[in-house]
Amino acid sequence: MSPAQPPEIERILFTEGEIAQRIAAVAAEVSERYRGRQLKLIAVLKGSVFFLAALAQRIEVPLKIDFLAISSFASSGKPTGVVRIAKDLDEPIEGEDVLLVEDIVDTGLTARYLLQTLAGRGPNSLAICTLLDRTCRRLVQVPVEFRCFEIPDRFVVGFGLDYRQLYRNLPYIAVMRP
Ligand code: PRP
């Protein structure tokens, strides 16, 4: 049984079925792009773990998984782009084809920092795959090679995304009431 729909939810944006369908399509794109190679999926904790699990099961090339945890710093409630790595990768990525797996790219500040940091470790290739892309909030341009959904400027939860650490386990993606 799935968790009951919390009263804070305004409406469901993407159902469980729609999410599964888009992830399968994006996994097919990824498999095509990296055919004949081995992939390293790097997931950024915590939001991306649900997407990572679903995506990885659908990708057809051999792959390894590693995790990063980060803390982002804000000033007067605004993101600064200053990021600290709280848990680093377990293994080097030199010479590897790396796909950074995110639940959401918003201002782009986190993705830009992570791309710069990981690029310095000498991977063979480096690209981003995100479940959600909220381009209307971009502050810096980042290349997003693979995306499942573009979303409007609303606060969303579910499928890994939280509100004060809650609702990550909702099997759908929903808009919160203002
Ligand atoms: C989310 C997401 C990205 C970041 C994107 O993480 O996973 O890392 O925000 O935002 P940006 O494009 O504005 O930099 P969050 O800080 O919510 O952490 P969580 O995954 O643990 O929920």
Side-chain angles (χ1 to χ4, degrees):
M1 219 169 72
S2 295
Q5 188 169 317
E8 294 84 358
I9 297 298
E10 182 180 290
R11 67 190 161 96
I12 292 178
L13 199 54
F14 305 115
T15 65
E16 203 173 343
E18 286 167 339
I19 296 169
Q21 222 171 32
R22 274 304 294 152
I23 293 177
V26 167
E29 282 176 41
V30 170
S31 304
E32 194 50 44
R33 178 82 63 90
Y34 295 93
R35 182 114 17 235
R37 292 188 269 166
Q38 180 180 286
L39 253 186
K40 168 72 63 80
L41 300 185
I42 294 181
V44 187
L45 296 170
K46 306 168 185 153
S48 64
V49 295
F50 291 80
F51 178 43
L52 169 79
L55 182 76
Q57 287 178 348
R58 291 287 187 154
I59 292 177
E60 289 170 354
V61 299
L63 61 84
K64 293 183 179 177
I65 291 169
D66 208 340
F67 293 94
L68 268 178
I70 55 172
S71 319
S72 307
F73 296 94
S75 168
S76 316
K78 292 208 171 113
T80 58
V82 178
V83 176
R84 182 181 65 87
I85 292 185
K87 182 233 167 274
D88 208 337
L89 299 173
D90 288 336
E91 292 184 356
I93 55 169
E94 198 179 343
E96 295 193 309
D97 290 303
V98 172
L99 194 56
L100 188 62
V101 177
E102 269 286 21
D103 52 340
I104 186 165
V105 178
D106 214 358
T107 64
L109 289 166
T110 307
R112 183 179 65 173
Y113 170 83
L114 290 176
L115 284 180
Q116 281 171 352
T117 303
L118 295 176
R121 299 181 186 189
N124 181 51
S125 69
L126 182 56
I128 297 180
C129 180
T130 188
L131 175 64
L132 304 179
D133 198 352
R134 194 155 46 192
T135 51
C136 56
R137 294 243 196 125
R138 269 309 189 284
L139 293 177
V140 293
Q141 289 312 309
V142 282
V144 175
E145 278 83 357
F146 306 97
R147 79 164 59 75
C148 293
F149 301 103
E150 169 81 42
I151 60 162
D153 193 8
R154 293 295 307 273
F155 195 93
V156 295
V157 293
F159 214 85
L161 290 112
D162 72 303
Y163 171 66
R164 297 183 174 171
Q165 301 301 327
L166 283 171
Y167 310 130
R168 292 191 196 274
N169 60 322
L170 297 177
Y172 46 82
I173 293 167
V175 174
M176 293 277 286
R177 288 188 200 287

